[in-house]
Amino acid sequence: MAEKKDLRINSKVYTENNVKAPNRAMLRAVGFTDEKFQMPQIGVASNWAETTPCNIHLNDLAQFAKEGVSKAGGVPIQFNTITVADGIAMGTQGMRFSLPSRDIIADSIETMVGGQNLDALVAIGGCDKNMPGCAIAMANLNVPAVFVYGGTISPGKHKGEDIDLVSVFEGVGKWNNGEIGDEELKDIECNGCPGPGGCGGMYTANSMAAALEAMGMSLPGSASNPAVSKDKEQDVYEAGQAVLNLLEKDIYPKDILTKEAFENAITVVYALGGSTNAILHLLAIAHAAEVELSIDDFNVMQEKVPHLADLKPSGKYVFQDLYNVGGVQGVMKYLYENGLIHGDCLTVTGKTIAENLEAVEHLTEGQDVVMPLDNPKRADGPLIVLKGNLAPLGAVAKVSGVKVRRHEGTAKVFDTEQAAIDAVMANDIVKGDVVIVRYVGPKGGPGMPEMLSLSSLISGKGLGEDVALLTDGRFSGGTRGLVVGHIAPEAQEGGPVALVQTGDTVTIDQDTKEITMHVSDKEMKARADKLELPPLYKKGVLGKYAHIVSNSSLGAVTDFLNRDDLYKK
């Protein structure tokens, strides 16, 4: 009989000899026995917190993961990380902590698993930055790992129609416009978020959950299974078992996170009409996994992959509707059968994408959540990387549902989001304008806050396709309308966006993928010579972040070592 494989790739250090008796003594205090010291120790990282519906249920789900680990012969060790609720922080100073939380989550998981010599990891996330934070940690640690999404929220109801959190944001714009009264806005507010789960449209949480499943880092179905469902409980339990299988088979995250796996993720995000944040996060995960992925690769994929899903914010359905007709796996099967998915990529099941898809049912016949390839929502991808004299290193435009191919208008420039919000509320923003919010990038924000409050006000006032909104900050996945974010270099670095002035003419062109300020080189140089940048934030988490973060076109990572080349790429 073959000797049983020792799966304690790290934790074996505690059982080597009597010298480690003190280490074992402390572990005995938390429930370890002689028998458990012979078993692999599996971290179960939960992003549980009482601050948001996205994460409120994750502690309960973690118990299913622990059961799965125990059943498969491991010792589960649960710990928590932080989370920032974007929807709650939106439009406040708290939003500056959102993107940094991604790296804090990654660092805390890496610290726990590395510091405790754990052998493998199951990570459970719910809100936007949880998914990339967990994935970055997995890539940096490179121990066998499985990610589980906490699941999408169920839709709320208002006047017989499905609504979600973005409905509330846009309701504020309608209220300001006089289209609805206080009572109706209150009804939308009270019904927009009916229970646990990530925001219900194809926003950043669902976008990144779908991306990680497409990459092979989640079990099939994890992205689609709703937060409140037996399917979600089952897939968390199975993740606990799957991670022991990965240990047995010596399958590590960097075996899964290949260039082709990232291309699968981009394909699924584009087909589903995902968030601009997916570009930022996929670049950061690729950096951690040491995969050569650049912002220009996204335009290559954008030309190949059509937008198929009629999901909010640009469509009518919520993510649970996708689950009801076959989920992300059904979409992946359709894309694979039509040559748009790499089927030979390894996954956390120990099988390839193609092997996993063999058991998957086709999308429900007659469904209209996902359009066919011969009649797509859009013939190419809905996220476009723009470059030009306003964004030499790139900017990201979200054009799902936007009919305008080219917008040229007069710039109205604001150095804070609140100043722009005040202008919209005062009806100072009119058709044709190009609203620019700057000094809110990774360094300048600091933290690259999202602009959902502002973009929703513009859309709620009926100006979504008539006013362009540009920023070196970010947009929520719930944003719709003519928006361009992630402008790099950012204003805080002295990028050209710091030089644009109210009254300048600015052009955004989908077809040429250009973003241009119509100002001569001579004038731009004269403005640059007079430019005085505000000081970087100096204290605490945001101060540290502002001094070490890279530009958005590199994923806004905090461990980019080639500082001299940072703004030359």
Side-chain angles (χ1 to χ4, degrees):
M1 180 180 294
E3 185 178 347
K4 185 177 180 182
K5 183 177 180 180
D6 190 347
L7 303 183
R8 298 172 301 164
I9 59 175
N10 293 320
S11 65
K12 192 174 182 178
V13 296
Y14 298 129
T15 61
E16 288 176 345
N17 51 48
N18 287 342
V19 175
K20 296 298 189 296
N23 311 64
R24 293 193 295 273
M26 293 194 72
L27 287 168
R28 288 182 190 279
V30 297
F32 270 74
T33 61
D34 287 348
E35 180 184 14
K36 286 186 177 181
F37 280 120
Q38 303 307 310
M39 301 160 66
Q41 298 179 25
I42 313 300
V44 177
S46 162
N47 285 256
W48 170 81
E50 293 182 332
T51 53
T52 169
C54 312
N55 296 59
I56 188 68
H57 61 307
L58 298 190
N59 194 47
D60 295 331
L61 290 181
Q63 308 315 307
F64 292 99
K66 291 172 69 176
E67 287 179 23
V69 168
S70 297
K71 184 72 172 179
V75 181
I77 299 177
Q78 184 180 350
F79 60 91
N80 289 339
T81 75
I82 58 112
T83 192
V84 172
D86 289 6
I88 299 172
M90 200 72 66
T92 75
Q93 289 294 101
M95 195 63 226
R96 282 153 177 75
F97 291 87
S98 172
L99 185 58
S101 78
R102 179 193 74 182
D103 297 80
I104 296 170
I105 290 166
D107 291 348
S108 64
I109 293 175
E110 184 180 350
T111 299
M112 279 294 293
V113 174
Q116 295 302 125
N117 293 293
L118 302 181
D119 300 303
L121 172 67
V122 176
I124 310 166
C127 203
D128 291 16
K129 308 309 171 296
N130 298 178
M131 275 68 75
C134 291
I136 290 168
M138 290 172 174
N140 282 329
L141 285 163
N142 204 35
V143 298
V146 180
F147 176 77
V148 188
Y149 179 39
T152 186
I153 196 171
S154 300
K157 291 288 183 182
H158 175 68
K159 293 184 175 179
E161 295 186 358
D162 288 344
I163 62 170
D164 59 14
L165 180 62
V166 175
S167 307
V168 189
F169 275 101
E170 294 189 358
V172 175
K174 293 178 180 179
W175 168 81
N176 179 248
N177 224 26
E179 297 176 38
I180 62 174
D182 294 354
E183 188 174 331
E184 184 169 357
L185 180 60
K186 180 69 176 292
D187 187 63
I188 296 171
E189 172 191 333
C190 292
N191 290 284
C193 301
C199 295
M202 194 59 194
Y203 312 144
T204 305
N206 286 329
S207 295
M208 290 309 301
L212 287 177
E213 185 172 318
M215 293 165 80
M217 288 303 298
S218 296
L219 293 179
S222 181
S224 310
N225 294 331
V228 182
S229 69
K230 289 296 181 183
D231 284 345
K232 178 51 61 185
E233 294 174 1
Q234 185 65 24
D235 90 60
V236 180
Y237 174 82
E238 290 176 356
Q241 294 186 307
V243 78
L244 271 296
N245 181 53
L246 294 175
L247 267 172
E248 183 71 40
K249 293 185 175 180
D250 292 322
I251 297 174
Y252 294 79
K254 287 184 180 179
D255 298 323
I256 295 170
L257 295 171
T258 63
K259 180 66 174 286
E260 290 74 20
F262 281 92
E263 289 179 351
N264 284 346
I266 296 167
T267 294
V268 169
V269 167
Y270 280 161
L272 294 178
S275 166
T276 52
N277 287 311
I279 292 181
L280 189 76
H281 298 323
L282 288 172
L283 286 167
I285 298 168
H287 171 74
E290 299 178 286
V291 170
E292 291 189 8
L293 183 73
S294 78
I295 195 167
D296 296 320
D297 289 322
F298 288 85
N299 270 352
V300 174
M301 299 298 294
Q302 186 266 341
E303 294 172 3
K304 298 178 181 177
V305 183
H307 176 196
L308 302 179
D310 193 17
L311 294 170
K312 290 177 179 287
S314 59
K316 64 180 179 179
Y317 291 109
V318 294
F319 208 64
Q320 187 160 311
D321 293 316
L322 179 64
Y323 162 78
N324 291 334
V325 301
V328 171
Q329 285 291 296
V331 175
M332 287 178 64
K333 182 156 188 162
Y334 181 61
L335 294 169
Y336 171 65
E337 290 179 342
N338 285 276
L340 292 171
I341 289 280
H342 300 289
D344 57 352
C345 292
L346 188 62
T347 76
V348 292
T349 65
K351 300 178 181 179
T352 65
I353 291 283
E355 289 170 330
N356 289 342
L357 292 175
E358 286 178 6
V360 173
E361 298 289 334
H362 289 92
L363 291 167
T364 303
E365 188 174 352
Q367 61 81 32
D368 63 350
V369 179
V370 180
M371 305 299 288
L373 285 165
D374 59 4
N375 184 31
K377 290 264 295 178
R378 180 185 166 99
D380 52 8
L383 305 179
I384 299 176
V385 175
L386 306 174
K387 289 189 175 182
N389 70 346
L390 188 55
L393 298 181
V396 180
K398 185 174 185 178
V399 294
S400 50
V402 176
K403 297 181 176 64
V404 177
R405 307 290 302 188
R406 186 177 187 275
H407 181 97
E408 184 168 296
T410 301
K412 290 185 177 175
V413 183
F414 304 92
D415 290 347
T416 68
E417 179 188 11
Q418 188 58 52
I421 288 173
D422 292 344
V424 174
M425 296 284 280
N427 297 315
D428 291 336
I429 303 302
V430 298
K431 288 184 179 182
D433 282 347
V434 178
V435 175
I436 298 177
V437 182
R438 63 189 179 189
Y439 293 105
V440 289
K443 290 179 176 293
M448 208 180 178
E450 292 178 348
M451 305 282 157
L452 182 58
S453 296
L454 176 57
S455 65
S456 295
L457 275 173
I458 291 172
S459 291
K461 292 173 77 69
L463 296 171
E465 291 210 22
D466 298 308
V467 169
L469 175 56
L470 279 56
T471 181
D472 51 7
R474 296 184 297 127
F475 291 108
S476 162
T479 300
R480 62 189 178 97
L482 186 55
V483 297
V484 181
H486 307 195
I487 291 175
E490 62 176 289
Q492 183 68 55
E493 286 289 332
V497 68
L499 308 178
V500 65
Q501 297 179 359
T502 294
D504 290 342
T505 300
V506 174
T507 300
I508 304 104
D509 195 315
Q510 285 192 47
D511 298 318
T512 63
K513 297 183 172 64
E514 290 179 309
I515 181 168
T516 307
M517 52 189 288
H518 296 279
V519 178
S520 70
D521 292 344
K522 181 179 179 181
E523 173 62 18
M524 286 178 67
K525 185 179 183 308
R527 294 181 186 180
D529 290 341
K530 297 177 182 178
L531 182 64
E532 294 184 10
L533 296 173
L536 278 179
Y537 206 92
K538 294 180 180 179
K539 293 184 64 180
V541 170
L542 295 182
K544 286 185 283 189
Y545 188 83
H547 282 81
I548 64 176
V549 68
S550 74
N551 70 60
S552 56
S553 290
L554 293 170
V557 298
T558 53
D559 59 351
F560 191 91
L561 300 180
N562 300 318
R563 308 302 297 181
D564 291 341
D565 295 333
L566 196 54
Y567 289 91
K568 297 176 183 176
K569 292 198 174 187

